[in-house]
mmCIF file with all atom_site columns, all heavy atoms in Angstrom:
data_model
loop_
_atom_site.group_PDB
_atom_site.id
_atom_site.type_symbol
_atom_site.label_atom_id
_atom_site.label_alt_id
_atom_site.label_comp_id
_atom_site.label_asym_id
_atom_site.label_entity_id
_atom_site.label_seq_id
_atom_site.pdbx_PDB_ins_code
_atom_site.Cartn_x
_atom_site.Cartn_y
_atom_site.Cartn_z
_atom_site.occupancy
_atom_site.B_iso_or_equiv
_atom_site.pdbx_formal_charge
_atom_site.auth_seq_id
_atom_site.auth_comp_id
_atom_site.auth_asym_id
_atom_site.auth_atom_id
_atom_site.pdbx_PDB_model_num
ATOM 1   N N   . SER C 1 104 ? 108.101 164.766 62.893 1.00 0.00 ? 104 SER C N   1
ATOM 2   C CA  . SER C 1 104 ? 108.132 166.215 62.687 1.00 0.00 ? 104 SER C CA  1
ATOM 3   C C   . SER C 1 104 ? 107.970 167.007 63.990 1.00 0.00 ? 104 SER C C   1
ATOM 4   O O   . SER C 1 104 ? 108.189 168.215 64.007 1.00 0.00 ? 104 SER C O   1
ATOM 5   C CB  . SER C 1 104 ? 107.019 166.626 61.719 1.00 0.00 ? 104 SER C CB  1
ATOM 6   O OG  . SER C 1 104 ? 105.754 166.509 62.340 1.00 0.00 ? 104 SER C OG  1
ATOM 7   N N   . PHE C 1 105 ? 107.592 166.318 65.065 1.00 0.00 ? 105 PHE C N   1
ATOM 8   C CA  . PHE C 1 105 ? 107.291 167.016 66.313 1.00 0.00 ? 105 PHE C CA  1
ATOM 9   C C   . PHE C 1 105 ? 108.480 167.848 66.822 1.00 0.00 ? 105 PHE C C   1
ATOM 10  O O   . PHE C 1 105 ? 108.335 169.037 67.121 1.00 0.00 ? 105 PHE C O   1
ATOM 11  C CB  . PHE C 1 105 ? 106.850 165.996 67.367 1.00 0.00 ? 105 PHE C CB  1
ATOM 12  C CG  . PHE C 1 105 ? 106.581 166.569 68.727 1.00 0.00 ? 105 PHE C CG  1
ATOM 13  C CD1 . PHE C 1 105 ? 105.438 167.306 68.959 1.00 0.00 ? 105 PHE C CD1 1
ATOM 14  C CD2 . PHE C 1 105 ? 107.475 166.386 69.771 1.00 0.00 ? 105 PHE C CD2 1
ATOM 15  C CE1 . PHE C 1 105 ? 105.173 167.838 70.213 1.00 0.00 ? 105 PHE C CE1 1
ATOM 16  C CE2 . PHE C 1 105 ? 107.218 166.910 71.028 1.00 0.00 ? 105 PHE C CE2 1
ATOM 17  C CZ  . PHE C 1 105 ? 106.078 167.645 71.240 1.00 0.00 ? 105 PHE C CZ  1
ATOM 18  N N   . GLY C 1 106 ? 109.648 167.210 66.890 1.00 0.00 ? 106 GLY C N   1
ATOM 19  C CA  . GLY C 1 106 ? 110.830 167.911 67.397 1.00 0.00 ? 106 GLY C CA  1
ATOM 20  C C   . GLY C 1 106 ? 111.221 169.117 66.548 1.00 0.00 ? 106 GLY C C   1
ATOM 21  O O   . GLY C 1 106 ? 111.319 170.235 67.058 1.00 0.00 ? 106 GLY C O   1
ATOM 22  N N   . PRO C 1 107 ? 111.421 168.916 65.234 1.00 0.00 ? 107 PRO C N   1
ATOM 23  C CA  . PRO C 1 107 ? 111.812 170.056 64.378 1.00 0.00 ? 107 PRO C CA  1
ATOM 24  C C   . PRO C 1 107 ? 110.807 171.212 64.429 1.00 0.00 ? 107 PRO C C   1
ATOM 25  O O   . PRO C 1 107 ? 111.203 172.379 64.433 1.00 0.00 ? 107 PRO C O   1
ATOM 26  C CB  . PRO C 1 107 ? 111.866 169.454 62.972 1.00 0.00 ? 107 PRO C CB  1
ATOM 27  C CG  . PRO C 1 107 ? 111.898 167.992 63.147 1.00 0.00 ? 107 PRO C CG  1
ATOM 28  C CD  . PRO C 1 107 ? 111.452 167.651 64.519 1.00 0.00 ? 107 PRO C CD  1
ATOM 29  N N   . LEU C 1 108 ? 109.499 170.896 64.497 1.00 0.00 ? 108 LEU C N   1
ATOM 30  C CA  . LEU C 1 108 ? 108.508 171.974 64.580 1.00 0.00 ? 108 LEU C CA  1
ATOM 31  C C   . LEU C 1 108 ? 108.686 172.755 65.873 1.00 0.00 ? 108 LEU C C   1
ATOM 32  O O   . LEU C 1 108 ? 108.545 173.977 65.893 1.00 0.00 ? 108 LEU C O   1
ATOM 33  C CB  . LEU C 1 108 ? 107.091 171.407 64.488 1.00 0.00 ? 108 LEU C CB  1
ATOM 34  C CG  . LEU C 1 108 ? 106.623 171.024 63.090 1.00 0.00 ? 108 LEU C CG  1
ATOM 35  C CD1 . LEU C 1 108 ? 105.272 170.329 63.156 1.00 0.00 ? 108 LEU C CD1 1
ATOM 36  C CD2 . LEU C 1 108 ? 106.527 172.255 62.192 1.00 0.00 ? 108 LEU C CD2 1
ATOM 37  N N   . ASN C 1 109 ? 108.996 172.038 66.958 1.00 0.00 ? 109 ASN C N   1
ATOM 38  C CA  . ASN C 1 109 ? 109.210 172.733 68.226 1.00 0.00 ? 109 ASN C CA  1
ATOM 39  C C   . ASN C 1 109 ? 110.411 173.657 68.170 1.00 0.00 ? 109 ASN C C   1
ATOM 40  O O   . ASN C 1 109 ? 110.504 174.616 68.930 1.00 0.00 ? 109 ASN C O   1
ATOM 41  C CB  . ASN C 1 109 ? 109.412 171.722 69.355 1.00 0.00 ? 109 ASN C CB  1
ATOM 42  C CG  . ASN C 1 109 ? 108.115 171.038 69.740 1.00 0.00 ? 109 ASN C CG  1
ATOM 43  O OD1 . ASN C 1 109 ? 107.040 171.591 69.519 1.00 0.00 ? 109 ASN C OD1 1
ATOM 44  N ND2 . ASN C 1 109 ? 108.204 169.845 70.289 1.00 0.00 ? 109 ASN C ND2 1
ATOM 45  N N   . LEU C 1 110 ? 111.350 173.349 67.261 1.00 0.00 ? 110 LEU C N   1
ATOM 46  C CA  . LEU C 1 110 ? 112.519 174.226 67.117 1.00 0.00 ? 110 LEU C CA  1
ATOM 47  C C   . LEU C 1 110 ? 112.177 175.489 66.347 1.00 0.00 ? 110 LEU C C   1
ATOM 48  O O   . LEU C 1 110 ? 113.014 176.365 66.201 1.00 0.00 ? 110 LEU C O   1
ATOM 49  C CB  . LEU C 1 110 ? 113.643 173.485 66.391 1.00 0.00 ? 110 LEU C CB  1
ATOM 50  C CG  . LEU C 1 110 ? 114.236 172.280 67.132 1.00 0.00 ? 110 LEU C CG  1
ATOM 51  C CD1 . LEU C 1 110 ? 115.310 171.626 66.282 1.00 0.00 ? 110 LEU C CD1 1
ATOM 52  C CD2 . LEU C 1 110 ? 114.806 172.720 68.470 1.00 0.00 ? 110 LEU C CD2 1
ATOM 53  N N   . GLY C 1 111 ? 110.940 175.551 65.825 1.00 0.00 ? 111 GLY C N   1
ATOM 54  C CA  . GLY C 1 111 ? 110.524 176.756 65.109 1.00 0.00 ? 111 GLY C CA  1
ATOM 55  C C   . GLY C 1 111 ? 110.990 176.796 63.664 1.00 0.00 ? 111 GLY C C   1
ATOM 56  O O   . GLY C 1 111 ? 111.040 177.868 63.059 1.00 0.00 ? 111 GLY C O   1
ATOM 57  N N   . LEU C 1 112 ? 111.342 175.648 63.101 1.00 0.00 ? 112 LEU C N   1
ATOM 58  C CA  . LEU C 1 112 ? 111.773 175.621 61.699 1.00 0.00 ? 112 LEU C CA  1
ATOM 59  C C   . LEU C 1 112 ? 110.567 175.765 60.783 1.00 0.00 ? 112 LEU C C   1
ATOM 60  O O   . LEU C 1 112 ? 109.439 175.436 61.148 1.00 0.00 ? 112 LEU C O   1
ATOM 61  C CB  . LEU C 1 112 ? 112.483 174.301 61.420 1.00 0.00 ? 112 LEU C CB  1
ATOM 62  C CG  . LEU C 1 112 ? 113.717 174.032 62.286 1.00 0.00 ? 112 LEU C CG  1
ATOM 63  C CD1 . LEU C 1 112 ? 114.190 172.597 62.122 1.00 0.00 ? 112 LEU C CD1 1
ATOM 64  C CD2 . LEU C 1 112 ? 114.817 175.017 61.920 1.00 0.00 ? 112 LEU C CD2 1
ATOM 65  N N   . ASP C 1 113 ? 110.823 176.243 59.556 1.00 0.00 ? 113 ASP C N   1
ATOM 66  C CA  . ASP C 1 113 ? 109.708 176.389 58.627 1.00 0.00 ? 113 ASP C CA  1
ATOM 67  C C   . ASP C 1 113 ? 109.341 175.034 58.017 1.00 0.00 ? 113 ASP C C   1
ATOM 68  O O   . ASP C 1 113 ? 110.102 174.073 58.097 1.00 0.00 ? 113 ASP C O   1
ATOM 69  C CB  . ASP C 1 113 ? 110.067 177.383 57.520 1.00 0.00 ? 113 ASP C CB  1
ATOM 70  C CG  . ASP C 1 113 ? 111.217 176.868 56.705 1.00 0.00 ? 113 ASP C CG  1
ATOM 71  O OD1 . ASP C 1 113 ? 112.374 177.005 57.188 1.00 0.00 ? 113 ASP C OD1 1
ATOM 72  O OD2 . ASP C 1 113 ? 110.981 176.309 55.621 1.00 0.00 ? 113 ASP C OD2 1
ATOM 73  N N   . GLU C 1 114 ? 108.165 174.991 57.407 1.00 0.00 ? 114 GLU C N   1
ATOM 74  C CA  . GLU C 1 114 ? 107.595 173.724 56.983 1.00 0.00 ? 114 GLU C CA  1
ATOM 75  C C   . GLU C 1 114 ? 108.479 172.984 55.984 1.00 0.00 ? 114 GLU C C   1
ATOM 76  O O   . GLU C 1 114 ? 108.655 171.764 56.089 1.00 0.00 ? 114 GLU C O   1
ATOM 77  C CB  . GLU C 1 114 ? 106.212 173.964 56.377 1.00 0.00 ? 114 GLU C CB  1
ATOM 78  C CG  . GLU C 1 114 ? 105.314 172.758 56.522 1.00 0.00 ? 114 GLU C CG  1
ATOM 79  C CD  . GLU C 1 114 ? 103.980 172.956 55.822 1.00 0.00 ? 114 GLU C CD  1
ATOM 80  O OE1 . GLU C 1 114 ? 103.243 173.863 56.241 1.00 0.00 ? 114 GLU C OE1 1
ATOM 81  O OE2 . GLU C 1 114 ? 103.699 172.214 54.871 1.00 0.00 ? 114 GLU C OE2 1
ATOM 82  N N   . ALA C 1 115 ? 109.077 173.706 55.054 1.00 0.00 ? 115 ALA C N   1
ATOM 83  C CA  . ALA C 1 115 ? 109.888 173.049 54.029 1.00 0.00 ? 115 ALA C CA  1
ATOM 84  C C   . ALA C 1 115 ? 111.102 172.373 54.666 1.00 0.00 ? 115 ALA C C   1
ATOM 85  O O   . ALA C 1 115 ? 111.436 171.226 54.352 1.00 0.00 ? 115 ALA C O   1
ATOM 86  C CB  . ALA C 1 115 ? 110.324 174.059 52.976 1.00 0.00 ? 115 ALA C CB  1
ATOM 87  N N   . THR C 1 116 ? 111.757 173.093 55.574 1.00 0.00 ? 116 THR C N   1
ATOM 88  C CA  . THR C 1 116 ? 112.918 172.522 56.263 1.00 0.00 ? 116 THR C CA  1
ATOM 89  C C   . THR C 1 116 ? 112.509 171.294 57.059 1.00 0.00 ? 116 THR C C   1
ATOM 90  O O   . THR C 1 116 ? 113.186 170.257 57.035 1.00 0.00 ? 116 THR C O   1
ATOM 91  C CB  . THR C 1 116 ? 113.522 173.566 57.227 1.00 0.00 ? 116 THR C CB  1
ATOM 92  O OG1 . THR C 1 116 ? 113.583 174.820 56.563 1.00 0.00 ? 116 THR C OG1 1
ATOM 93  C CG2 . THR C 1 116 ? 114.897 173.144 57.684 1.00 0.00 ? 116 THR C CG2 1
ATOM 94  N N   . VAL C 1 117 ? 111.375 171.419 57.777 1.00 0.00 ? 117 VAL C N   1
ATOM 95  C CA  . VAL C 1 117 ? 110.914 170.297 58.581 1.00 0.00 ? 117 VAL C CA  1
ATOM 96  C C   . VAL C 1 117 ? 110.675 169.077 57.683 1.00 0.00 ? 117 VAL C C   1
ATOM 97  O O   . VAL C 1 117 ? 111.115 167.968 57.975 1.00 0.00 ? 117 VAL C O   1
ATOM 98  C CB  . VAL C 1 117 ? 109.626 170.653 59.341 1.00 0.00 ? 117 VAL C CB  1
ATOM 99  C CG1 . VAL C 1 117 ? 109.029 169.422 60.015 1.00 0.00 ? 117 VAL C CG1 1
ATOM 100 C CG2 . VAL C 1 117 ? 109.901 171.724 60.383 1.00 0.00 ? 117 VAL C CG2 1
ATOM 101 N N   . ARG C 1 118 ? 110.015 169.330 56.545 1.00 0.00 ? 118 ARG C N   1
ATOM 102 C CA  . ARG C 1 118 ? 109.718 168.228 55.633 1.00 0.00 ? 118 ARG C CA  1
ATOM 103 C C   . ARG C 1 118 ? 111.007 167.541 55.161 1.00 0.00 ? 118 ARG C C   1
ATOM 104 O O   . ARG C 1 118 ? 111.101 166.310 55.139 1.00 0.00 ? 118 ARG C O   1
ATOM 105 C CB  . ARG C 1 118 ? 108.925 168.761 54.435 1.00 0.00 ? 118 ARG C CB  1
ATOM 106 C CG  . ARG C 1 118 ? 107.765 167.888 54.015 1.00 0.00 ? 118 ARG C CG  1
ATOM 107 C CD  . ARG C 1 118 ? 106.899 168.604 52.998 1.00 0.00 ? 118 ARG C CD  1
ATOM 108 N NE  . ARG C 1 118 ? 105.766 169.277 53.624 1.00 0.00 ? 118 ARG C NE  1
ATOM 109 C CZ  . ARG C 1 118 ? 104.700 168.641 54.122 1.00 0.00 ? 118 ARG C CZ  1
ATOM 110 N NH1 . ARG C 1 118 ? 104.623 167.335 54.075 1.00 0.00 ? 118 ARG C NH1 1
ATOM 111 N NH2 . ARG C 1 118 ? 103.707 169.310 54.674 1.00 0.00 ? 118 ARG C NH2 1
ATOM 112 N N   . ALA C 1 119 ? 111.994 168.352 54.839 1.00 0.00 ? 119 ALA C N   1
ATOM 113 C CA  . ALA C 1 119 ? 113.260 167.790 54.372 1.00 0.00 ? 119 ALA C CA  1
ATOM 114 C C   . ALA C 1 119 ? 113.938 166.990 55.478 1.00 0.00 ? 119 ALA C C   1
ATOM 115 O O   . ALA C 1 119 ? 114.463 165.890 55.263 1.00 0.00 ? 119 ALA C O   1
ATOM 116 C CB  . ALA C 1 119 ? 114.182 168.911 53.894 1.00 0.00 ? 119 ALA C CB  1
#
Side-chain angles (χ1 to χ4, degrees):
Chain C
S104 71
F105 177 74
L108 282 173
N109 287 336
L110 295 179
L112 301 169
D113 63 280
E114 207 185 297
T116 316
V117 171
R118 223 170 265 287

